[in-house]
């Protein structure tokens, strides 16, 4: 008997009904493939009750501990059947994640679930854009989230493939934001500066890693007054419009591709040559010569010359119409004296005819040459997928055009990066038609794609063992490149990270699971980034009555939950504030919107309302003047969020201690502001320990 059958029987009573050991609103995960197992793991890690459904009796367990964690909450059956859904008590669950590999079945199951429980939150895995039109399925679009399992992870793979300081970039409203990680060198502009001096209205520090120290996993762990030294690493987020010119996402431009004029194409060509991409520039120029507009011009020119020839021969040389048609066509196909062997015309007419014939012959040869070049390219494209231009330097090699690989390549092309693909079999011409693609294996083509000078190598085939094998062989050829490896098995992922510390080992289903589970809690995941060896989710919150964020200041949310607010908009405002200050805002109210950077742990703390309380107090010893007291009173009320009366009570009874608790970063900012007016104060720390 299979383990799945044993699970089912252990949950059935004498009447065949299922009895599950949940005590409150539970979650249902449909599909126990790689993505489903990771979703179950995340939910179980936080002590949440989970019921799993899969139609397969034999499951290939890739994540440790899953069989034991759901042994009493596991159903074998088809999620499209209402009986199976009712057995999982879908009417009382909090959310359901439909993550099977059959995307059509996922959509159908979502429809059945919505009929059984219209209030449940449904997270559906699907990459088919036509199926994303939820209104056609008569489903409440506010309760259903349809997400592609590879879309967000593709951004992580593509960003790491850049191989530079960029850790991710995205657009909020009309602003471009980028996350960067820099290493301080002897000539860096930040060398010798205090960390708090880097924070501006457009730039915010995320982490600071002193030389030879462990990588921090939480925000706000850096020390504001610390002086930067050589080999320190600083991660920060910044409003940076240069990203538009560096990586130029096509969606960001206001004009369409077909509207680009000849002048703009010339500018693009020169720009690419200046960046050293001669191979790409030459190929782009070549393609322009044999593109469809050129072909239209060739046929138009041929037709115009043909009409002119017929007219001149008929009315100028008194040729019969049929002979004028024939002579014009033969001349344009390269014929010469074969057309004019008659000697019955005067010498002048013969000279004029031969001059016309010679001109038409040259024009015909030129036009036929262009046509032949286009036909040759078309035949080669059909035969060999497309012509391959050899890469030179600082390019990205993408191995494997899986669904994930296609999205990674598409992003790199949009970001104007030289990317060259390798695949073991042909793909449709409609798939990334502008990318250089070589069919074959890496070992036999390593010189062709110039592995030794590649900036980064991205291995994203659907075969995990092949990915690992290729990564090892690639590292031997070019140990200086940025190596990104796709994995599936949770155990192998951890093993490879230890065995290949130089590589970026990414389990895309592990990343997707964090986004899917976060969506199950009602969060809107806008983007996914990865730095400091952890996944960062760009998450949007619309504040509602009873939310754990309601009635809190931004600084309480930032320091209490360990997140970084990057957008704030009250329900009264028309335009939001990007990179808002933590101090000059009132508490959040229902209808307000914020967007934060957070890891998965922080999002779960927000979900449960587990906010870290402040543990410091401000102690003020003295103030030099009445003017300083008034200014200090306003500063304390402004930064601490306390009432003016509380701040006034402190400043008019010096020395004294502020009654309310504050966070450490908050207190250090207070001390710096008070010091400007000569107010002497200290910070009393760790009061809750």
């Amino acid at each position: 008997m299979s383990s799945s059958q044993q699970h089912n029987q252990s949950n059935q009573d004498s009447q065949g009904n299922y009895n599950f050991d949940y005590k409150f609103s539970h979650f249902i995960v449909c599909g126990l493939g790689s993505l489903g197992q990771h979703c179950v793991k995340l939910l179980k890690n936080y002590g949440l009750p989970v019921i799993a459904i899969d139609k397969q009796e034999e499951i290939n367990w890739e994540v440790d501990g899953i069989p034991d964690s759901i042994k009493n909450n596991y159903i074998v059956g088809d999620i499209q059947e209402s009986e199976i859904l009712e057995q999982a008590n879908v009417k009382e669950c909090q959310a359901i994640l439909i993550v099977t590999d059959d995307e059509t079945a996922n959509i159908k199951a979502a429809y059945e679930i919505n009929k059984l429980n219209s209030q449940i939150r449904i997270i559906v895995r699907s990459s088919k854009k036509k199926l994303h039109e939820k209104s056609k399925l008569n489903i409440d679009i506010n309760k259903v989230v349809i997400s592609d399992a590879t879309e967000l992870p593709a951004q992580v793979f593509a960003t790491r493939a850049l191989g530079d300081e960029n850790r991710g970039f995205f657009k909020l409203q009309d602003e471009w934001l980028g996350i960067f990680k820099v290493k301080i060198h002897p000539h860096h502009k930040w060398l010798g500066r205090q960390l708090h001096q880097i924070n501006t209205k457009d730039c915010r520090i995320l982490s600071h890693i002193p030389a030879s120290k462990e990588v921090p996993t939480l925000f706000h762990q850096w020390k504001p007054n610390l002086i930067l030294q050589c080999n320190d690493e600083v991660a920060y987020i910044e409003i940076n419009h240069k990203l538009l010119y560096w990586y130029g996402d096509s969606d960001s431009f206001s004009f369409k591709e077909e509207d680009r004029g000849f002048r703009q194409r010339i500018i693009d060509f020169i720009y690419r040559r200046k960046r050293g991409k001669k191979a790409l520039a030459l190929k782009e120029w070549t393609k322009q010569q044999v593109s469809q507009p050129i072909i239209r011009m060739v046929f138009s020119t041929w037709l115009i010359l043909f009409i002119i020839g017929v007219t001149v021969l008929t009315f100028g040389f008194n040729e019969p119409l049929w002979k004028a048609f024939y002579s014009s066509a033969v001349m344009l196909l390269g014929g010469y004296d074969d057309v004019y062997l008659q000697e019955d015309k005067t010498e002048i007419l013969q000279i004029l005819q031969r001059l016309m014939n010679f001109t038409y012959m040259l024009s015909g040869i030129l036009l036929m040459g262009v046509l032949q070049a286009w036909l040759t390219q078309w035949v080669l494209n059909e035969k060999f997928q497309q012509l391959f231009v050899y890469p030179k330097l600082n390019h990205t090699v993408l191995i494997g055009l899986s669904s994930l690989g296609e999205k990674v390549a598409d992003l790199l092309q949009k970001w104007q990066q030289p990317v060259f693909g390798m695949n073991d079999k042909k793909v449709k011409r409609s798939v990334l038609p502008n990318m250089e693609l070589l069919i074959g294996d890496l070992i036999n083509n390593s010189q062709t794609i110039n592995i030794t000078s590649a900036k980064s190598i991205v291995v994203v085939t659907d075969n995990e063992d092949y990915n690992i094998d290729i990564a090892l062989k690639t590292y031997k050829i070019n140990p200086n490149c940025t190596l990104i490896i796709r994995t599936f098995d949770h155990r192998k992922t951890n093993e490879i990270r230890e065995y290949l510390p130089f590589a970026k080992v990414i389990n895309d289903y592990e990343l997707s699971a964090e986004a899917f589970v976060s969506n199950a809690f009602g969060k809107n995941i806008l983007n996914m980034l990865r730095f400091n060896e952890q996944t960062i989710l760009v998450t949007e919150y619309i504040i509602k009555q009873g939310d754990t964020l309601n009635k809190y200041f931004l600084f309480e949310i930032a320091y209490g939950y360990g997140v970084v607010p990057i957008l704030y908009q009250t329900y009264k405002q028309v335009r939001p504030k990007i990179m808002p200050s933590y101090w000059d805002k009132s508490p959040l109210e229902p209808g307000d919107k914020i967007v934060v950077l957070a890891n998965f742990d922080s999002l779960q703390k927000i979900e449960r309302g587990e906010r870290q309380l402040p543990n410091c107090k401000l102690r003020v010893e003295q103030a030099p003047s009445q003017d300083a007291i008034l200014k200090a009173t306003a500063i304390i009320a402004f930064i601490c969020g306390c009432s003016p009366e509380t701040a006034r009570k402190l400043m008019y009874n010096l020395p004294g201690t502020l009654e309310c608790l504050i966070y450490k970063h908050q207190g250090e900012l207070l001390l710096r502001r008070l010091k400007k007016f000569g107010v002497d104060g200290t910070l009393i720390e760790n009061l809750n320990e």
Side-chain angles (χ1 to χ4, degrees):
M1 181 180 295
S2 69
S3 59
S4 300
Q5 290 172 325
Q6 293 174 351
H7 288 162
N8 278 9
Q9 290 186 4
S10 65
N11 296 331
Q12 289 179 332
D13 58 20
S14 59
Q15 298 178 350
N17 297 320
Y18 285 81
N19 297 314
F20 296 111
D21 56 356
Y22 53 82
K23 298 180 181 179
F24 51 90
S25 187
H26 59 288
F27 291 79
I28 300 175
V29 177
C30 300
L32 287 176
S34 297
L35 178 56
Q37 292 181 40
H38 281 290
C39 290
V40 171
K41 177 178 179 291
L42 287 175
L43 292 167
K44 298 300 290 187
N45 283 349
Y46 290 95
L48 299 170
V50 180
I51 295 176
I53 305 175
D54 196 285
K55 66 180 180 180
Q56 300 294 334
E57 295 184 0
E58 296 294 335
I59 301 295
N60 178 25
W61 299 108
E62 299 177 0
V63 180
D64 292 334
I66 298 300
D68 293 334
S69 67
I70 60 172
K71 62 182 178 181
N72 296 323
N73 298 314
Y74 177 30
I75 299 176
V76 175
D78 189 348
I79 59 173
Q80 300 180 70
E81 298 178 3
S82 58
E83 294 81 4
I84 295 296
L85 297 171
E86 289 175 354
Q87 289 171 4
N89 205 1
V90 71
K91 294 181 180 180
E92 296 183 11
C93 75
Q94 181 174 342
I96 183 167
L97 295 88
I98 310 175
V99 291
T100 74
D101 294 331
D102 189 342
E103 297 180 351
T104 302
N106 292 348
I107 295 293
K108 292 179 180 179
Y111 179 72
E112 291 297 326
I113 292 167
N114 188 254
K115 288 195 299 183
L116 294 172
N117 184 354
S118 60
Q119 300 303 314
I120 187 177
R121 187 167 181 83
I122 307 172
I123 316 301
V124 186
R125 173 185 180 179
S126 175
S127 61
K128 299 177 180 178
K129 300 301 182 183
K130 292 183 179 179
L131 295 180
H132 288 196
E133 299 177 11
K134 295 172 280 188
S135 58
K136 293 184 178 180
L137 296 174
N138 195 26
I139 294 178
D140 183 0
I141 61 175
N142 295 319
K143 296 294 183 180
V144 178
V145 176
I146 300 181
S147 180
D148 186 349
T150 59
E151 185 172 1
L152 290 177
Q155 299 184 42
V156 175
F157 278 88
T159 302
R160 301 304 291 134
L162 295 175
D164 54 17
E165 298 172 347
N166 196 326
R167 292 298 180 268
F169 54 94
F170 52 93
K171 191 175 183 180
L172 278 182
Q173 301 297 320
D174 296 327
E175 300 286 359
W176 280 87
L177 283 79
I179 292 181
F180 304 90
K181 190 175 182 180
V182 298
K183 190 170 186 178
I184 306 301
H185 53 75
H187 304 289
H188 199 281
K189 62 181 180 179
W190 289 347
L191 181 65
R193 297 179 63 179
Q194 291 182 320
L195 281 171
H196 73 83
Q197 295 176 323
I198 300 173
N199 271 349
T200 64
K201 64 181 181 66
D202 293 334
C203 178
R204 189 154 296 158
I205 293 179
L206 301 178
S207 70
H208 168 240
I209 309 172
S212 304
K213 297 293 183 179
E214 292 185 358
V215 175
T217 58
L218 298 175
F219 296 125
H220 312 300
Q221 299 297 303
W222 50 279
K223 300 177 181 179
N225 297 324
L226 193 68
I227 297 177
L228 285 170
Q229 307 291 335
C230 278
N231 297 320
D232 287 1
E233 290 184 334
V234 177
Y236 62 97
I237 182 171
E238 180 181 38
I239 299 175
N240 194 333
H241 293 287
K242 291 181 180 179
L243 291 167
L244 181 64
Y245 304 102
W246 293 344
Y247 305 111
D249 187 345
S250 61
D251 293 335
S252 65
F253 295 110
S254 59
F255 54 84
K256 297 181 179 179
E257 187 69 23
E258 55 266 26
D259 297 332
R260 294 161 60 91
F262 176 78
R263 177 176 175 272
Q264 184 62 45
R265 289 197 295 270
I266 293 296
I267 292 174
D268 289 349
F269 172 73
I270 296 174
Y271 172 72
R272 291 195 177 192
R273 289 187 65 88
K274 285 184 177 179
R275 294 184 67 182
K277 302 177 183 177
K278 295 181 179 179
L280 285 178
L282 179 60
K283 178 176 180 292
E284 180 179 334
W285 180 83
T286 303
K287 280 188 175 182
Q288 288 177 358
Q289 309 314 305
V290 294
S291 60
Q292 290 185 1
I294 294 295
I295 298 304
R296 287 195 295 268
M297 185 188 72
V298 167
F299 278 107
S300 299
T301 304
W302 197 94
L303 182 61
I304 292 172
L305 289 175
F306 178 77
I307 294 173
I308 292 174
V310 171
T311 303
V312 171
L313 291 176
T314 302
F315 298 101
F317 295 95
N318 297 319
E319 297 281 359
L321 185 61
W322 68 269
K323 190 173 183 179
F325 271 93
Y326 175 76
S327 299
S328 299
V330 170
M331 285 190 294
L332 287 172
L333 291 175
Y336 188 48
D337 273 349
D338 295 341
V339 181
Y340 300 109
L341 297 177
Q342 304 89 344
E343 300 293 338
D344 56 345
K345 293 184 175 59
T346 63
E347 183 176 355
I348 295 178
L349 287 178
Q350 291 184 22
I351 292 175
L352 291 175
Q353 281 185 324
R354 282 170 171 75
L355 180 61
M356 177 182 175
N357 186 195
F358 183 75
T359 303
Y360 267 52
M361 181 194 69
L362 291 179
S363 302
I365 291 175
L366 178 62
L367 296 177
M368 290 303 104
V370 174
L371 180 60
Q372 184 180 11
W374 177 79
L375 289 173
T376 302
Q377 186 198 40
W378 180 80
V379 171
L380 290 176
N381 279 350
E382 291 293 323
K383 182 69 177 176
F384 302 109
Q385 193 66 35
Q386 67 181 69
L387 296 174
F388 191 83
V389 177
Y390 295 94
K392 298 298 182 183
L393 185 68
N394 291 332
H395 55 285
T396 296
V397 177
L398 178 68
I399 302 174
L401 279 183
S402 57
S403 175
L404 175 65
E406 290 179 16
K407 290 183 175 62
V408 172
D410 185 54
L411 286 171
L412 290 172
Q413 286 186 310
K414 286 182 178 180
W415 299 343
Q416 300 178 6
Q417 300 299 301
V419 55
F420 296 83
M422 285 195 63
N423 204 45
D424 58 353
K425 57 184 179 180
K426 294 182 180 180
V427 297
K428 296 180 180 179
R429 291 185 61 200
S430 57
V431 176
L432 302 170
N434 296 321
M435 187 182 75
E436 302 295 348
L437 177 61
L438 194 64
I439 306 301
D441 61 274
L442 174 70
I443 304 306
N444 295 329
N445 295 281
S446 59
Q447 293 183 348
T448 303
I449 58 177
N450 205 354
I451 290 288
T452 55
S453 63
K455 175 177 64 176
S456 56
I457 311 252
V458 185
V459 190
V460 289
T461 74
D462 291 329
N463 188 324
E464 184 177 49
D465 294 331
Y466 180 76
N467 292 349
I468 298 170
D469 182 53
I470 289 297
L472 292 173
K473 294 176 180 178
T474 300
Y475 182 71
K476 292 180 181 179
I477 299 174
N478 184 358
N480 298 318
C481 71
T482 300
L483 184 59
I484 301 128
I485 310 171
R486 180 192 189 188
T487 58
F488 304 101
D489 189 280
H490 182 68
R491 294 183 296 272
K492 285 186 179 180
T493 300
N494 294 332
E495 292 173 359
I496 298 169
R497 284 172 179 166
E498 294 180 2
Y499 185 68
L500 304 176
F502 52 84
K504 307 299 180 184
V505 184
I506 303 175
N507 187 325
D508 57 317
Y509 288 122
E510 192 173 7
L511 300 181
S512 297
E514 295 188 3
F516 274 74
V517 172
S518 297
N519 280 323
F521 287 105
K523 302 171 181 62
N524 183 19
I525 308 302
L526 304 179
N527 210 308
M528 179 181 287
L529 315 164
R530 190 166 178 86
F531 74 99
N532 288 354
E533 306 305 324
Q534 65 177 334
T535 303
I536 302 300
L537 301 171
V538 183
T539 310
E540 179 186 68
Y541 287 91
I542 305 296
I543 308 303
K544 300 178 182 178
Q545 192 70 39
D547 282 356
T548 56
L549 301 181
N550 191 27
K551 298 183 180 179
Y552 284 113
F553 289 96
L554 284 185
F555 68 81
E556 293 178 299
I557 295 172
Y559 300 131
Y561 290 114
V563 301
V564 179
I566 57 176
L567 179 145
Y568 172 73
Q569 182 179 14
T570 69
Y571 68 93
K572 300 177 182 178
Q573 291 177 323
V574 177
R575 293 186 59 83
K577 171 65 177 177
I578 306 295
M579 303 284 277
S581 168
Y582 295 171
W583 323 111
D584 57 351
K585 303 292 181 290
S586 58
L588 295 181
E589 300 179 39
D592 291 355
K593 179 172 73 174
I594 63 169
V595 176
V596 300
L597 299 180
N599 59 24
F600 188 76
D601 288 339
S602 295
L603 294 182
Q604 293 311 301
K605 290 178 181 178
I606 293 176
E607 181 68 23
R608 298 191 298 264
E610 296 177 355
R611 183 175 64 90
Q612 180 181 346
L613 299 177
N615 62 351
C616 301
K617 279 193 173 184
L618 175 68
R619 172 79 179 177
V620 180
E621 300 297 338
Q622 60 180 4
S625 64
Q626 181 66 26
D627 182 61
I629 290 176
L630 292 174
K631 291 181 179 179
T633 299
I635 291 173
I636 292 172
F638 178 73
I639 294 179
C640 294
C642 64
S643 65
E645 291 76 15
T646 301
R648 194 178 300 113
K649 180 180 178 181
L650 168 65
M651 293 307 301
Y652 281 95
N653 293 278
L654 299 179
T657 303
L658 187 64
E659 295 178 359
C660 60
L661 291 171
I662 58 177
Y663 293 96
K664 184 176 180 180
H665 274 228
Q666 192 179 6
E668 292 182 343
L669 175 63
L670 266 174
L671 294 179
R672 292 195 300 270
R673 295 281 182 90
L674 294 176
K675 187 177 180 180
K676 292 181 179 180
F677 301 104
V679 177
D680 186 16
T682 57
L683 192 62
I684 305 173
E685 301 182 29
N686 304 322
L687 294 176
N688 294 338
E689 296 182 359

